[in-house]
Structure formats: structure tokens, C-alpha cells
């Protein structure tokens, strides 16, 4: 804890605290917490840059003596971060070990005078406060007996406190993304006593965050231990094997007597259940509240259908997003990983944009991506990248392409040309790196440019112990997969150039994309539209990226449908091809097949997850299977959004709301809901950057009715299941009906 006091002869008319830390901080002013942000200053590449926060504090000041202070924690800067032990000799302190705090209190007085109170060598510090240890991965240890009464208020005697040392920190940059906050507080209820004094509580939802505890009747020094887990073993105990090296355990030491409250500050767990031991025996003396913690942009999507299980799938997708955004989009919130894996974020990004206003968040994260770009042009596989992007985890097809695909989606959804300006050069360097390594335009990974070549991660070939599912045939050949992304990113760089008015580059990369597509077709595609390997994923990617010649797309789509057969109509796709398969099935009119995949309850499916206790999307299709149990605990998260990228298909197809990349920022959009899957009604709302859009439909005795709201200054094109097209629909409410017999509809035939 650090502090200083200062006097104010008169009250300022306005006061703003600018602050940041190496580590994490909670600023305090006159005994009060400053702002509602948590885990500030959030995660960046601290070697180069740390964010600062600006909080209005006018109401917290008083005339006379004032006290400004901060509590510091380890966080990403000095604590453990995922996989560090593999690349640094230590698992903590990757960026630094010495915690630091910086503040600039800006005071404006009624007469226009400006004064400041800043951090300098006059501040005092102590390391003997109640937080005995804190770590994002390993939990917090809090000992109430060490609380220092009045330390953050004026008049406290800090003469025994230590002198501070002044440090030089990295560049400071303003935080542009919405802060991480506690967004919800969910009461947890006791479900079982699994041993003497060991009780399991359940909040009903897998979340990222922590528990707040209120209790009475504890003795002084009584130790309460909270262990956090996502799922339970069959005997009702916590399943913790999938935490790997994380130690999600909080410890509270009570001061004894009266009511006591605990809430950690500088940790975060991925969990639904908490096992608490050491509680006082009287059960009504305890209240456990789960605090949900994540970056907090506005939520922009509502979805409700006639099928409660489908609604739970959508709900799980949205919860998985909340669980995986703490200033960085992460793979998972629970085990010792929690890294900004770009491939997962790339495929999930359109779903994320439907769910929340991601403009500011992604602006911040795209900067992290630029800062993690390798010198040779490779975009990173993780951002921030603490493990030297020049050495490892860079340039993986599908992952690195995040640096091209996500800015394009930001442009399409937010009309943001500034992000294209910032990302164009980096994106072009990335494509040029691919080209240098693959001059014959087939992405071969020669010279092991990417030693860990992930490909279409977690496809059906990775299932374990499921005799009814083919053992091979799911994984798309990696050269084909990688060349598809190469073609796509090159095409997007050309499109970026066109938007930015760079005609020569638009042509250059357009031509290169054309040649990559031609090479792809020569290498992998037969005249009858069959694609090497005949995997669902291969067809999905080639179709989705418009790589095949027009003339064979339809027949290739029919081969894609045939590739469902060995899997009895279901998926063999991994994280990169699943949503693309769904979108291409629909684009080519195979709505019945797409709905069959969405609505099936057997593994692999989303419904399987929610019908077997999932409240978030699992990392693996077969994370847990009835009769077989859990997958390999070395990699088995129950809160991973990549497979949840199907949200995009649900919103576009079931909800029917689609952006138009030729009229970015939702200036014009398409509403084309497709009934199917036995659904009789769907209601979707999307708060676009230009205002609220609604699509609500009902199917009653073969009569399809649709209600559409179009916000001011936009137009929509509405397509009905009978093939009729209504355009342009201006601002306001529009009602349509048509006869709708079958689930089939083929765009291409219209
Ligand atoms: C992560 C993934 C990530 C992958 C890279 C895993 O450990 O959890 O989601 O994309 O590594 O292949």
C-alpha cells in the first residue's frame, strides 16, 4: 500500500485522477475507492507500454487535509501468466518484479488555477497490509488481522512506513477500452457438504470472477479456504484436474467477532462451483456471492426463440464471451493459460461483435496485435505476446490472420476506416511474409516457419474413445487449410487498400489473391469440384473464402453435404471451420442440414453441452461424454468460445440480421431469417452502431410473418422464405407475411 497526504485550502471545481501501475492497483482517496474499475491498468506489453486510467474524483475531495493512496497487486506484470514457465526460467515476474504506482491528480479551481498532486519520493509504503499474496492464476491470501485502520484517510501516522523508490516505467497510453468491472453479483447456494466442514456452493453459471463472502461467528485467525472449479466429479467433489498449473484458491483469515466481509481484488478464477472449508458451523451465518468480472462494453444482442434449449445455447455463447474478455480476448479463464489466442478470437469475432459493442475493446486489442508483430511481418498467435514473437507463436494460419480479418470486421460493423489505416501496413507485411515463404503460392510451412502448425484445431479426429465416430477424415490437410487463409487474407488486404484509396495496392493484392486461388484450385480441387481429403472443413473454407471457380461452387457444396454422411449428418469440423461450414450450408440452400446440425442433441453438438450441464461453451466437442467421462485434463476447458462462433450463424440465419460490407457501419443491412429446426418463433434485437435493429418472426400453419425495425438513416433489404425480396426498407417498422411450406430455400435459385 502506498500513500501521501496533501492540503486543500479550497475545494477544486473539478478534479481528475490519472493513475496507473506496474502490477494492479486500486486507488483510494479519503477512505473511498476511486472508480469502479477492477484489475487496472489491465494487460498490455508492459515492456513497451502500460495504460493509464482517468477518473473524475471531484466529489471525493475535502477542504483541509486529504489522503491519496493505492493498494497494489501482482497481476499480469509481476504475477504468473499462462505458459511463462516454458519460456522464462520463472513462471512469475515475466515483465518485472518491483511493483510501481504512478498518479497525477489534476485539480482545477474556480479561479482557473490548476494544481497537481503527483507520485514522487515523498510517498510512503508498506508491504505488511492484509493482502499477504495475490496472483491472477493462484488466488489471493487475505488476513484481516493485518488490516490497517485509517491508512487511506488523512491523519494516519505513517511514520513507521517505508520510503518509496522512484522508478522509470514504460510509455503510458490512455486506456481506450471500457474498464473491467464487476458486472453482476450472483448469490451462490450450498448444494452439498462433502466432508466435515467442507461445503460446495453453486451459483448456477460458469463465470470468470471471484466470490464475496459475508459471515459472522468466526474466531480470530480462523482460516477459510475457497477452491474454485468449473464442474463436479460424479461424487459431488470439485473437478480440478483441468486447472493444470493454476491454483485457484483464495484464503481468508478472519479477525474474529462480529460480521466480516471478504472480497479479493487481485485475482480472477474461471468457475461455477466453490468449495469452502473452515466456515463457522452455523450455516445461516454465511453468504456467498459470485462476482462476475470482465471488460464491460455495452451488450448489444437479445435473442429468444420458441426453443428453450436453443436459447440456452445462445446464452452460453454470450456467457463464454463474458468469461473471456479481460482487456484481451482469451482462450479460457480457468487454467494456467488465459492467453490472447488470436485464432479463437478471429473465428469468434463476428459473434463477439453481435453480442457487445466491441469497437473500443478491439481497437485496444488490435494495438496489442500490432505491438506483437514479429520483425519479419508475422502476426502473433497470441497478443499480448510475452514470449518473443520472433522466436515462437507467430504466423500460424488462422491465428495470425486475425490481424487482417478482425480489422475488416470492425470496418464492416463500425464503419471504422481509422482501424484500416492502422492495420493496413501490418496486414500487408504479414501477407508479404507468407508470400516470401511460399513463392509457389501453396502455403507449405517449408523451413518450419511455424513449428506448431495447428490447422483446424480440435476437429473430430481428436475425439477420444468414441467408437461410433470415424477415427480419421475430420482434419483438413494443413497445406490446403493454410493456403485458404493465405488467399483470404490477401483478398482482404486488397479490399482494405480499396477502401483507403490505395488503387495500386488494391490491384496488386487483388491480383495476388487471384493467383493464390488459382494455385489452390490446381493443387487441391478436381474438375468435378472434389477437394483433396474430402473433408467438411476443406469444402467449408474453400467455399467461404470464395476460392473455387463460380461454375463448380454448387457441386462442391453438394460434396460438402455428402461429407456429413460418414458422421451421420453431423460435424467433423474443428474450431476454424465449424461456423464456416454452417454459413456455407445456408448460403447454398442446405438449411435442413444446417438446422439438423444445430438442433441435434447427440455429441458433437452445442445442445449436448447445455443438456449436460454446460452454461458456457466447451473447448472440446467431447470435453465430457456420457459413459466415457472427461477428455484429457491437460486441455479441457469448459469455458472456451471458439466453438461458440456458431453464434454468428444463429444471428444471421435464425435471427436473420446481416451486415452489408458494401455499406459499412450498418448503413444498409439485410434481414433474411430462415425458418427451420421446428422453430415457431424467433425474436432478435441488435443494437447496431446506427441504432436498434429488430427481426421477429413467427411460423403459424405455414404462414410466416416477420416484423422488422429499421433505425433512422439506414435502409434494409428484407428477404422472405418464399424468395421475395423487399428493398429498400427505410426507418421504421415493417411487417411481412408469406406462405412458407418447406425448410428449403435456395438463394442461388432465386
Ligand atoms: C488454446 C487454444 C489455442 C490453441 C492453439 C490452446 O491451448 O486453448 O484455444 O487456440 O492452444 O492451438
Amino acid at each position: 500500500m502506498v500513500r501521501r497526504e496533501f492540503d486543500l485550502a479550497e475545494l477544486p471545481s473539478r478534479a481528475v485522477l490519472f493513475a496507473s501501475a506496474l502490477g494492479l492497483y486500486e486507488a483510494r482517496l479519503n477512505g473511498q475507492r476511486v472508480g469502479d474499475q477492477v484489475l487496472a491498468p489491465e494487460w498490455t506489453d508492459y515492456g513497451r507500454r502500460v495504460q493509464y486510467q482517468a477518473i473524475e474524483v471531484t466529489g471525493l475531495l475535502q477542504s483541509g487535509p486529504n489522503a491519496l493512496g493505492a493498494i497494489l497487486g501482482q497481476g499480469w506484470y509481476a504475477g504468473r501468466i499462462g505458459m511463462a514457465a516454458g519460456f522464462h526460467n520463472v513462471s512469475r515476474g515475466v515483465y518485472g518484479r518491483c511493483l510501481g504506482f504512478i498518479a497525477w491528480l489534476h485539480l482545477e479551481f474556480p479561479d482557473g488555477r490548476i494544481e497537481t498532486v503527483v507520485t514522487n519520493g515523498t510517498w510512503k509504503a508498506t508491504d505488511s497490509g492484509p493482502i499477504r499474496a495475490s496472483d491472477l492464476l493462484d488466488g489471493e491470501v487475505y488476513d484481516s488481522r493485518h488490516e490497517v485502520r485509517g491508512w487511506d484517510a488523512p491523519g494516519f501516522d505513517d511514520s513507521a512506513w517505508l520510503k518509496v523508490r522512484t522508478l522509470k516505467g514504460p510509455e503510458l497510453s490512455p486506456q481506450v477500452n471500457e474498464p473491467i468491472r464487476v458486472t453482476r453479483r450472483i448469490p451462490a447456494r450450498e448444494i452439498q457438504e462433502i466432508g466435515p466442514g467442507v461445503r460446495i456452493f453453486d451459483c448456477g453459471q460458469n463465470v470468470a470472477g471471484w466470490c464475496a463472502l459475508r459471515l459472522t461467528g468466526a474466531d480470530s485467525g480462523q482460516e477459510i479456504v475457497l477452491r474454485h472449479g468449473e464442474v463436479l466429479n460424479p461424487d459431488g467433489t470439485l473437478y480440478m484436474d483441468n486447472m493444470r498449473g493454476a491454483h485457484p484458491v483464495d484464503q481468508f483469515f478472519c479477525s474474529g467477532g462480529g460480521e466480516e466481509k471478504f472480497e479479493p481484488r487481485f485475482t480472477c478464477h474461471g468457475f461455477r462451483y466453490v468449495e469452502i472449508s473452515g466456515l463457522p458451523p452455523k450455516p445461516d451465518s454465511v453468504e456467498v456471492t459470485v462476482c462476475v468480472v470482465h471488460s464491460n462494453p455495452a451488450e448489444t444482442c437479445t435473442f429468444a426463440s420458441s426453443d428453450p434449449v436453443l436459447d440456452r445455447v445462445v446464452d452460453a455463447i454470450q456467457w463464454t464471451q463474458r468469461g473471456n474478455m479481460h482487456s484481451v480476448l482469451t482462450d479460457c479463464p480457468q487454467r494456467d493459460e488465459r492467453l490472447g489466442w488470436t485464432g479463437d478470437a478471429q473465428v469468434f469475432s463476428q459473434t463477439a461483435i453481435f453480442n457487445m459493442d466491441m469497437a473500443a475493446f478491439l481497437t485496444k486489442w488490435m494495438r496489442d496485435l500490432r505491438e506483437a508483430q514479429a520483425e519479419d511481418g508475422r502476426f502473433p498467435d497470441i497478443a499480448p505476446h510475452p514470449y518473443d514473437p520472433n522466436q515462437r507463436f507467430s504466423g500460424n494460419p488462422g491465428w495470425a490472420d486475425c490481424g487482417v480479418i478482425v480489422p475488416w470486421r470492425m470496418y464492416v460493423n463500425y464503419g471504422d476506416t481509422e482501424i484500416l489505416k492502422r492495420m493496413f501496413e501490418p496486414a500487408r507485411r504479414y501477407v508479404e511474409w507468407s508470400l516470401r515463404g511460399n513463392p509457389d503460392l501453396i502455403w507449405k510451412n517449408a523451413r518450419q516457419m511455424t513449428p506448431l502448425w495447428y490447422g483446424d484445431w480440435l476437429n473430430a479426429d481428436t475425439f477420444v474413445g468414441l467408437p461410433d465416430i470415424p477415427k480419421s477424415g475430420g482434419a483438413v490437410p494443413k497445406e490446403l487449410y493454410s493456403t485458404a487463409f493465405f488467399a483470404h487474407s490477401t483478398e482482404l488486404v486488397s479490399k482494405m487498400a480499396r477502401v483507403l484509396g490505395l488503387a495500386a495496392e488494391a490491384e496488386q493484392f487483388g491480383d495476388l489473391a487471384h493467383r493464390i486461388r488459382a494455385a489452390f484450385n490446381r493443387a487441391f480441387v478436381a474438375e468435378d469440384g472434389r477437394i483433396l481429403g474430402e473433408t467438411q472443413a476443406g469444402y467449408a473454407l474453400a467455399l467461404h473464402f470464395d476460392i473455387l471457380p463460380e461454375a463448380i461452387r454448387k457441386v462442391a457444396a453438394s460434396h460438402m453435404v455428402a461429407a456429413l454422411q460418414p458422421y451421420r449428418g453431423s460435424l467433423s469440423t474443428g474450431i476454424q471451420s465449424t461456423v464456416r461450414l454452417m454459413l456455407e450450408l445456408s448460403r447454398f440452400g442446405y438449411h435442413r442440414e444446417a438446422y439438423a446440425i444445430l438442433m441435434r442433441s447427440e455429441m458433437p453438438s452445442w445442445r449436448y453441452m447445455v443438456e449436460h450441464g454446460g452454461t458456457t461453451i466447451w473447448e472440446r466437442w467431447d470435453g465430457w461424454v456420457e459413459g466415457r467421462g472427461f477428455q484429457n485434463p491437460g486441455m479441457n476447458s469448459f469455458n472456451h468460445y471458439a466453438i461458440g462462433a456458431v453464434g454468428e450463424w444463429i444471428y444471421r440465419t435464425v435471427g436473420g440480421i446481416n451486415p452489408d460490407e458494401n455499406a459499412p457501419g450498418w448503413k444498409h443491412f439485410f434481414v433474411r431469417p430462415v425458418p427451420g429446426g421446428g422453430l415457431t418463433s424467433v425474436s432478435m434485437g441488435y443494437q447496431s452502431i446506427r441504432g436498434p435493429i429488430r427481426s421477429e418472426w413467427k411460423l403459424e400453419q405455414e404462414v410466416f410473418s416477420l416484423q422488422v425495425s429499421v433505425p433512422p438513416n439506414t435502409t434494409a433489404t428484407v428477404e422472405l422464405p418464399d424468395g421475395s425480396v423487399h428493398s429498400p426498407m427505410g426507418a421504421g417498422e415493417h411487417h411481412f407475411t408469406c406462405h412458407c411450406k418447406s425448410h428449403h430455400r435456395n438463394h442461388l435459385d432465386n
Side-chain angles (χ1 to χ4, degrees):
M1 302 185 296
V2 292
R3 74 184 303 279
R4 76 158 276 184
E5 293 191 20
F6 57 95
D7 275 310
L8 288 178
E10 77 176 303
L11 274 179
S13 45
R14 181 164 173 263
V16 179
L17 179 70
F18 298 89
S20 185
L22 296 176
L24 300 174
Y25 77 98
E26 177 183 310
R28 314 276 310 176
L29 191 51
N30 295 332
Q32 311 250 15
R33 175 196 189 109
V34 175
D36 60 356
Q37 71 285 7
V38 299
L39 305 180
E42 309 196 348
W43 191 8
T44 49
D45 177 354
Y46 299 109
R48 133 200 334 249
R49 179 173 69 88
V50 60
Q51 305 192 119
Y52 65 84
Q53 290 69 42
I55 320 262
E56 161 104 40
V57 292
T58 320
L60 296 180
L61 292 166
Q62 57 198 30
S63 56
N66 287 264
L68 175 61
I71 312 172
L72 305 183
Q74 310 286 311
W76 294 277
Y77 179 78
R80 285 183 68 197
I81 47 177
M83 303 198 316
F87 311 105
H88 293 261
N89 290 332
V90 287
S91 68
R92 55 187 87 235
V94 165
Y95 296 101
R97 305 208 133 219
C98 184
L99 302 185
F101 177 63
I102 186 167
W104 173 287
L105 177 59
H106 171 91
L107 305 164
E108 289 173 20
F109 292 92
D111 63 1
R113 195 167 30 95
I114 288 178
E115 284 179 21
T116 55
V117 176
V118 298
T119 41
N120 56 27
T122 66
W123 283 57
K124 300 298 279 294
T126 181
D127 62 357
S128 60
I131 298 178
R132 312 305 292 172
S134 73
D135 191 277
L136 288 167
L137 267 57
D138 290 348
E140 189 161 306
V141 181
Y142 188 92
D143 190 336
S144 323
R145 294 166 302 176
H146 289 265
E147 278 168 7
V148 186
R149 214 162 289 280
W151 74 276
D152 52 0
F156 175 77
D157 176 10
D158 61 17
S159 55
W161 282 32
L162 308 165
K163 282 184 71 173
V164 297
R165 192 156 60 84
T166 52
L167 288 174
K168 193 158 168 47
E171 178 195 330
L172 285 160
S173 69
Q175 172 164 346
V176 299
N177 53 307
E178 296 82 356
I180 303 173
R181 294 191 178 99
V182 174
T183 65
R184 291 169 178 78
R185 290 181 188 264
I186 310 177
R189 60 184 181 92
E190 180 174 342
I191 50 170
Q192 207 182 342
E193 177 150 4
I194 53 162
V198 185
R199 308 188 204 156
I200 303 265
F201 291 77
D202 175 11
C203 78
Q205 177 62 52
N206 198 353
V207 305
W210 54 66
C211 293
L213 211 63
R214 195 160 78 173
L215 72 153
T216 48
D219 298 329
S220 171
Q222 185 164 339
E223 179 187 355
I224 298 172
V225 179
L226 284 77
R227 298 167 73 233
H228 303 77
E230 293 184 287
V231 283
L232 298 179
N233 287 308
D235 65 358
T237 57
L238 269 196
Y239 175 78
M240 301 276 283
D241 299 354
N242 69 335
M243 297 292 159
R244 284 194 331 214
H247 184 66
V249 179
D250 294 338
Q251 269 169 287
F252 301 135
F253 291 89
C254 303
S255 59
E259 186 182 281
E260 299 192 56
K261 285 185 190 171
F262 297 101
E263 186 173 333
R265 287 184 173 81
F266 300 134
T267 189
C268 198
H269 310 296
F271 70 106
R272 166 176 172 173
Y273 302 95
V274 56
E275 178 209 276
I276 309 186
S277 51
L279 287 172
K282 252 201 317 143
D284 59 41
S285 64
V286 176
E287 204 179 279
V288 182
T289 307
V290 168
C291 305
V292 179
V293 176
H294 55 90
S295 289
N296 187 211
E299 303 204 354
T300 46
C301 184
T302 55
F303 182 93
S305 75
S306 54
D307 180 349
V309 181
L310 177 61
D311 292 358
R312 276 162 57 201
V313 167
V314 171
D315 197 49
I317 292 169
Q318 296 177 345
W319 270 105
T320 311
Q321 181 168 345
R322 291 182 198 117
N324 283 290
M325 44 193 298
H326 300 93
S327 85
V328 167
L329 281 170
T330 56
D331 58 334
C332 58
Q334 73 297 91
R335 67 177 178 230
D336 57 345
E337 185 150 1
R338 315 185 194 181
L339 294 170
W341 284 102
T342 49
D344 306 52
Q346 172 268 113
V347 71
F348 187 70
S349 51
Q350 184 59 53
T351 305
I353 287 170
F354 273 118
N355 287 336
M356 293 186 198
D357 177 355
M358 297 295 284
F361 183 97
L362 290 173
T363 299
K364 182 265 179 193
W365 195 53
M366 284 299 107
R367 182 165 179 190
D368 295 338
L369 237 85
R370 290 197 297 281
E371 290 172 346
Q373 187 168 28
E375 280 156 23
D376 59 11
R378 282 170 296 166
F379 272 126
D381 302 352
I382 48 175
H385 194 323
Y387 309 123
D388 190 353
N390 296 308
Q391 294 299 322
R392 55 183 73 80
F393 297 135
S394 289
N396 238 297
W399 274 252
D401 297 277
C402 182
V404 191
I405 294 173
V406 167
W408 183 253
R409 289 195 167 149
M410 291 169 73
Y411 165 71
V412 170
N413 288 278
Y414 302 122
D416 185 354
T417 48
E418 183 59 33
I419 196 73
L420 295 188
K421 275 187 211 149
R422 293 183 196 172
M423 297 304 287
F424 176 74
E425 273 306 316
R428 146 210 212 129
R429 285 177 55 221
Y430 166 60
V431 165
E432 285 170 352
W433 166 79
S434 279
L435 178 60
R436 278 198 306 282
N438 303 286
D440 66 358
L441 308 184
I442 299 298
W443 208 101
K444 289 206 189 71
N445 204 19
R447 289 180 282 120
Q448 293 280 298
M449 299 199 292
T450 321
L452 294 169
W453 195 7
Y454 317 130
D456 192 21
W457 194 243
L458 301 181
N459 59 71
D461 295 2
T462 66
F463 295 170
V464 168
L466 302 174
D468 295 342
I469 298 179
K471 288 209 168 6
S472 62
V476 50
K478 285 186 182 172
E479 293 187 0
L480 185 164
Y481 160 94
S482 305
T483 307
F485 275 99
F486 183 21
H488 183 53
S489 279
T490 307
E491 180 66 35
L492 290 184
V493 167
S494 163
K495 286 185 175 181
M496 283 184 183
R498 194 159 305 128
V499 174
L500 295 174
L502 303 168
E505 286 86 345
E507 186 148 327
Q508 177 197 347
F509 287 94
D511 173 64
L512 176 59
H514 176 78
R515 287 186 290 122
I516 300 169
R517 289 193 290 267
F520 181 103
N521 283 296
R522 275 196 306 278
F524 306 124
V525 187
E527 260 167 40
D528 64 355
R530 284 184 199 282
I531 298 184
L532 182 75
E534 304 218 29
T535 58
Q536 297 173 15
Y539 289 109
L541 295 173
L543 288 167
H544 193 63
F545 297 151
D546 287 334
I547 293 173
L548 306 177
E550 283 282 355
I552 61 166
R553 289 185 189 175
K554 252 173 130 170
V555 60
S558 73
H559 298 322
M560 174 169 72
V561 173
L564 297 169
Q565 286 328 305
Y567 297 85
R568 286 184 282 181
S570 183
L571 296 168
S572 66
T573 45
I575 69 170
Q576 293 298 354
S577 60
T578 297
V579 64
R580 290 167 173 132
L581 174 93
M582 295 293 280
L583 290 166
E584 293 315 298
L585 286 172
S586 294
R587 179 156 73 131
F588 288 91
Y590 295 101
H591 301 303
R592 195 187 297 274
E593 287 76 5
Y595 265 113
I597 291 168
L598 180 75
M599 296 311 234
R600 61 182 267 132
S601 284
E602 301 81 42
M603 215 294 293
S605 73
W606 301 274
R607 288 171 90 92
Y608 188 84
M609 298 177 192
V610 303
E611 286 177 342
H612 290 85
T615 55
T616 41
I617 300 298
W618 301 349
E619 176 170 26
R620 294 175 178 268
W621 292 113
D622 66 333
W624 181 90
V625 180
E626 207 167 330
R628 191 211 62 191
F630 293 113
Q631 245 274 17
N632 179 351
M635 218 189 80
N636 200 19
S637 142
F638 291 97
N639 198 350
H640 235 76
Y641 53 61
I643 289 176
V646 74
E648 176 184 353
W649 180 86
I650 296 173
Y651 298 147
R652 285 179 184 271
T653 313
V654 184
I657 298 180
N658 288 270
D660 175 0
E661 71 170 38
N662 295 315
W666 296 82
K667 181 78 187 144
H668 170 259
F669 56 93
F670 298 96
V671 179
R672 43 180 175 230
V674 178
L679 295 173
T680 53
S681 70
V682 170
S683 160
M684 177 177 164
Y686 173 58
Q687 184 69 34
S688 80
I689 195 160
R690 279 195 166 79
I693 296 171
R694 283 206 79 73
S695 161
E696 275 185 54
W697 60 263
K698 276 198 172 59
L699 186 59
E700 280 163 337
Q701 285 153 358
E702 302 190 357
V703 175
F704 179 85
S705 57
L706 172 67
Q707 182 84 28
V708 175
S709 358
V710 179
N713 299 315
T714 70
T715 56
T717 298
V718 177
E719 295 179 34
L720 299 184
D722 65 357
S724 60
V725 178
H726 306 260
S727 184
M729 311 307 302
E733 298 285 319
H734 305 279
H735 192 79
F736 306 87
T737 49
C738 73
H739 189 74
C740 170
K741 196 157 184 187
S742 87
H743 293 168
H744 277 293
R745 186 187 67 144
N746 195 336
H747 264 3
L748 304 180
D749 293 340
N750 290 339

